[in-house]
Amino acid sequence: MTTTTPTSAAGPAGATGPTFRAPTASDGPAMWDLARASGLDENSPYAYVMWGEYHAGTSVVAVDDDGDLVGFVMGFRVPAAPETVFVWQVATSEACRGQGIAARLLDSLVERTGAEAVEATVTPGNDPSAALFRGLGKRHGKRVEETPLFAEDLFPGDHEAEVRFRIPVGTP
Ligand SMILES: CC(C)(COP(=O)(O)OP(=O)(O)OC[C@H]1O[C@@H](n2cnc3c(N)ncnc32)[C@H](O)[C@@H]1OP(=O)(O)O)[C@@H](O)C(=O)NCCC(=O)NCCS
């Protein structure tokens, strides 16, 4: 099941939190900007425009009251196991971090997709990312499986190994 209805989430003390909605192709440039500003792997602008068009049902953006994009999560259904959503990238703007926006992006993704499991890969040095996915497991009362997936030597240049996080989020 996929829903595209925008939802809002209350922020701290009386403030209105961002609105969460499915992306469109027009969100691509802002997602690309945020990915680059967040130190994520460099991908082409095309990838983000394409994602907004073709993977909107498995992605969510957070937009503030001014209409500015302050976070996104981009995912796809694993072709051989479509009940599993793989999160390719997730980021929030630096000024908005630590306010639960990334956690709410993941919660919104799970709700919109009805996924039974979420998978992502995390580099061992990325504590905020590991905490984000462990937190998703905690909210669902599930143990997060963490297993080595992509070795360092698969990547050209300076790139850490990637550990697969699998978080069961469906009902038992
Ligand atoms: C990872 C990232 C998306 C987290 O965004 P955020 O909006 O700050 O996250 P939240 O406020 O929702 O916090 C989620 C969890 O992470 C924890 N966390 C957030 N920042 C943290 C930090 N710097 N160190 C340790 N834990 C941290 C929070 O305590 C929370 O844990 P909890 O659920 O147990 O309470 C953000 O730091 C980011 O954009 N980083 C750069 C891009 C990146 O590395 N993305 C992940 C790889 S694709």
Side-chain angles (χ1 to χ4, degrees):
M1 179 197 66
T2 300
T3 57
T4 53
T5 316
T7 53
S8 192
T16 308
T19 298
F20 296 85
R21 62 164 171 78
T24 66
S26 318
D27 293 306
M31 292 196 286
W32 181 68
D33 276 345
L34 180 52
R36 292 196 333 148
S38 300
L40 293 173
D41 281 351
E42 290 255 342
N43 297 288
S44 70
Y46 178 90
Y48 296 85
V49 172
M50 177 273 288
W51 215 274
E53 178 70 20
Y54 285 98
H55 293 288
T58 49
S59 303
V60 185
V61 292
V63 179
D64 70 13
D65 288 347
D66 297 325
D68 294 328
L69 188 136
V70 295
F72 69 76
V73 58
M74 303 166 73
F76 61 85
R77 289 186 187 277
V78 176
E83 70 287 351
T84 296
V85 171
F86 181 83
V87 169
W88 176 46
Q89 288 189 329
V90 54
T92 53
S93 60
E94 207 163 351
C96 299
R97 289 189 188 153
Q99 299 175 21
I101 293 175
R104 282 181 275 164
L105 280 166
L106 290 186
D107 289 345
S108 179
L109 179 72
V110 168
E111 191 190 323
R112 285 159 192 265
T113 58
E116 291 177 14
V118 170
E119 289 188 9
T121 71
V122 177
T123 52
N126 195 337
D127 292 338
S129 183
L132 172 65
F133 290 108
R134 287 178 189 140
L136 177 63
K138 225 185 293 169
R139 290 194 295 287
H140 286 266
K142 298 285 171 56
R143 192 179 65 82
V144 177
E145 295 164 31
E146 300 179 27
T147 48
L149 183 63
F150 300 135
E152 212 174 306
D153 61 12
L154 288 176
F155 304 102
D158 191 18
H159 193 298
E160 283 184 277
E162 297 268 355
V163 175
R164 173 160 52 201
F165 280 44
R166 179 175 171 83
I167 308 107
V169 291
T171 44

